[in-house]
Amino acid sequence: MLKSFLHSSVGKKIIMAITGLGMIGFLIGHLAGNLTLLTGNADKFNRYSHFLTSLGALLIAVELGLLLLLLLHMYEGICVAIGKLKARPEGYEEVGNAGGPSRKTLSSRTMIYSGIVILVFVFIHVRSFKYGPGIPEGYVSMAGGAEIRDLHRLVVERFSHPGYVAFYVACMILLGLHLRHAFWSAFQSLGVHHPRYTPILYGIGTALAAVLSIGFLIIPLWVFFSGGSP
């Protein structure tokens, strides 16, 4: 019974909703930590980064959980998209905002494409920063008399390249488009659908998408134009 439900269209959408909301929660926390870059205090940002890495097994567990959420969300999203394509009459396409509960917008029509770009971005981002050069390569800072990784220096170096900054900003705009529809759609999939509350949720989703995307894209722009200094 449970297996058949999870393989149903409704079950897949519920899994997408839960995993999507989980990742939105992570993005909020991740942005809050990264905004310490805007203080121009390299030591503060490096200590924040070192605190996370010092969590050891707990951090690994969180990262594995996030990876699981991402893979589940991606898999179910592809399955739902394929199901819609099979159910859609050949050559059928509806453009524009349908209004009402359908919310057919640019965000909803490009979910699969923005999702793919965001996935590519995640791999590049993780490879550039988490698995980028560290203490062995000379990226060293001091905190409490101990050597820690100078992640601030790496961030400033990466965001000094206009091509990387342009790529980052473009991806954050697509993230905003993706989140704009994803937030509202997640609650709809979970059964929260009411003429009174749906417009409110849609408005919250739009505002949250704007805050997260602008919050993330302002960091590389600020570093690029200021050099990471206040």
Side-chain angles (χ1 to χ4, degrees), residues 28-137:
I28 293 172
H30 190 49
L31 176 60
N34 284 356
L35 286 177
T36 57
L37 280 163
L38 301 185
T39 66
N41 189 327
D43 289 338
K44 184 176 181 180
F45 180 72
N46 285 332
R47 287 196 298 268
Y48 161 71
S49 171
H50 179 67
F51 166 74
L52 293 180
T53 57
S54 67
L55 294 177
L58 178 59
L59 177 63
I60 293 174
V62 171
E63 290 175 338
L64 289 176
L66 287 170
L67 178 60
L68 178 60
L69 289 180
L70 177 62
L71 293 177
L72 274 174
H73 190 78
M74 178 181 66
Y75 173 76
E76 299 297 355
I78 292 173
C79 289
V80 170
I82 292 175
K84 288 182 178 180
L85 287 175
K86 289 182 178 179
R88 181 182 300 167
E90 185 176 355
Y92 174 81
E93 183 177 5
E94 185 175 349
V95 179
N97 190 334
S102 66
R103 297 292 181 185
K104 191 174 293 295
T105 64
L106 175 64
S107 298
S108 66
R109 297 196 309 272
T110 58
M111 289 296 283
I112 187 67
Y113 308 112
S114 59
I116 291 172
V117 174
I118 292 168
L119 179 64
V120 173
F121 166 81
V122 168
F123 281 107
I124 294 175
H125 181 72
V126 170
R127 184 176 182 275
S128 296
F129 295 109
K130 180 176 177 57
Y131 297 107
I135 292 177
E137 291 77 25

Side-chain angles (χ1 to χ4, degrees), residues 154-198:
L154 178 61
V155 170
V156 171
E157 288 180 356
R158 288 287 190 269
F159 288 152
S160 67
H161 299 287
Y164 192 90
V165 171
F167 169 72
Y168 197 102
V169 169
C171 288
M172 292 305 97
I173 292 173
L174 288 178
L175 175 66
L177 281 175
H178 195 86
L179 293 178
R180 180 192 177 197
H181 179 75
F183 183 85
W184 165 81
S185 180
F187 282 98
Q188 186 184 47
S189 298
L190 294 173
V192 183
H193 184 63
H194 189 278
R196 178 180 297 178
Y197 304 120
T198 295

